[in-house]
Amino acid sequence: KNKAQLSNLEKQIDVYTQEKDLLTQKINAEAEIKAKNVTALSELDKIKNKTAKLNQLNEWLIKYKALKEFAVCAKAEFEKAMREYELIRNEYEAKNRAYLNEQAGILASNLTDNTPCPVCGSLSHPTPATLSENAPSKAEIDNLKNAVDRADKSRMESSEKAGKAKIDANTLSSRLIDEAKQIFSEFEVANLPN
């Protein structure tokens, strides 16, 4: 009877040992799955981080393109302002020269008999200097001078704007390149698909 009980116990021990081995295998498999999940979650976090960096890089690239386009437009605006300034300045200089050359005629245009000449003091003006047809007035010279000043101010402002836009675009370009190098150096060749 003891032998039968002992045999029965041995069989139960074998069954329990097999169950224990199966449970140990399941536990080990679950632990392996958990370890793979932890690794996968870590990889997922890395991918999310890289995706965020790539999205930031893309935003900077879009901003750089807009800044670059703005810099090109600002440069064109400056070149236009420079041309306008030169045209107005040249016109002013030519008319101012003509004005200065015609001062005697301008002074003589205001002379009246029995009024002293502002240059020589004579009360008689038998042959006053005459104005040429092209002699500009003082008001015209003053208006042109104001136009030159406005054009110069516009030229300077557009120059500053173009210079700042170029610096901003170059600064962002450098930052973009540095960030791209950093981001892409983090990607391992082994992780790239075939």
Side-chain angles (χ1 to χ4, degrees), residues 30 39 53 57 65 67 92 109 127 136 172-173 178 186 190:
E30 286 179 11
T39 302
K53 287 181 178 181
L57 193 63
K65 287 179 181 179
L67 263 175
Y92 167 76
S109 69
T127 54
L172 186 57
S173 172
D178 291 344
E186 293 173 7

Side-chain angles (χ1 to χ4, degrees), residues 21-68:
D21 289 345
L22 282 173
L23 287 174
T24 302
Q25 287 176 355
K26 283 183 178 180
I27 289 171
N28 288 341
E30 286 179 11
E32 190 176 314
I33 289 170
K34 285 181 182 178
K36 286 181 179 178
N37 281 344
V38 168
T39 302
L41 287 173
S42 174
E43 287 299 314
L44 182 61
D45 284 344
K46 288 178 184 176
I47 289 170
K48 285 180 180 178
N49 187 26
K50 287 179 182 178
T51 301
K53 287 181 178 181
L54 286 172
N55 287 337
Q56 179 66 51
L57 193 63
N58 188 50
E59 287 176 26
W60 288 345
L61 184 59
I62 291 167
K63 185 176 181 181
Y64 168 74
K65 287 179 181 179
L67 263 175
K68 187 69 175 168

Side-chain angles (χ1 to χ4, degrees), residues 79-141:
E79 289 170 350
K80 179 183 175 193
M82 185 67 179
R83 285 189 303 273
E84 288 174 2
Y85 168 75
E86 288 173 351
L87 283 172
I88 292 170
R89 185 194 65 206
N90 290 342
E91 180 183 0
Y92 167 76
E93 288 175 355
K95 288 197 176 188
N96 192 45
R97 248 187 326 275
Y99 173 78
L100 293 175
N101 290 339
E102 296 293 324
Q103 285 303 297
I106 292 171
L107 288 173
S109 69
N110 294 322
L111 292 177
T112 57
D113 281 335
N114 298 323
T115 309
C117 173
V119 175
C120 66
S122 173
L123 296 175
S124 165
H125 317 291
T127 54
T130 57
L131 288 173
S132 70
E133 292 179 24
N134 297 333
S137 67
K138 174 76 170 129
E140 188 177 353
I141 294 300

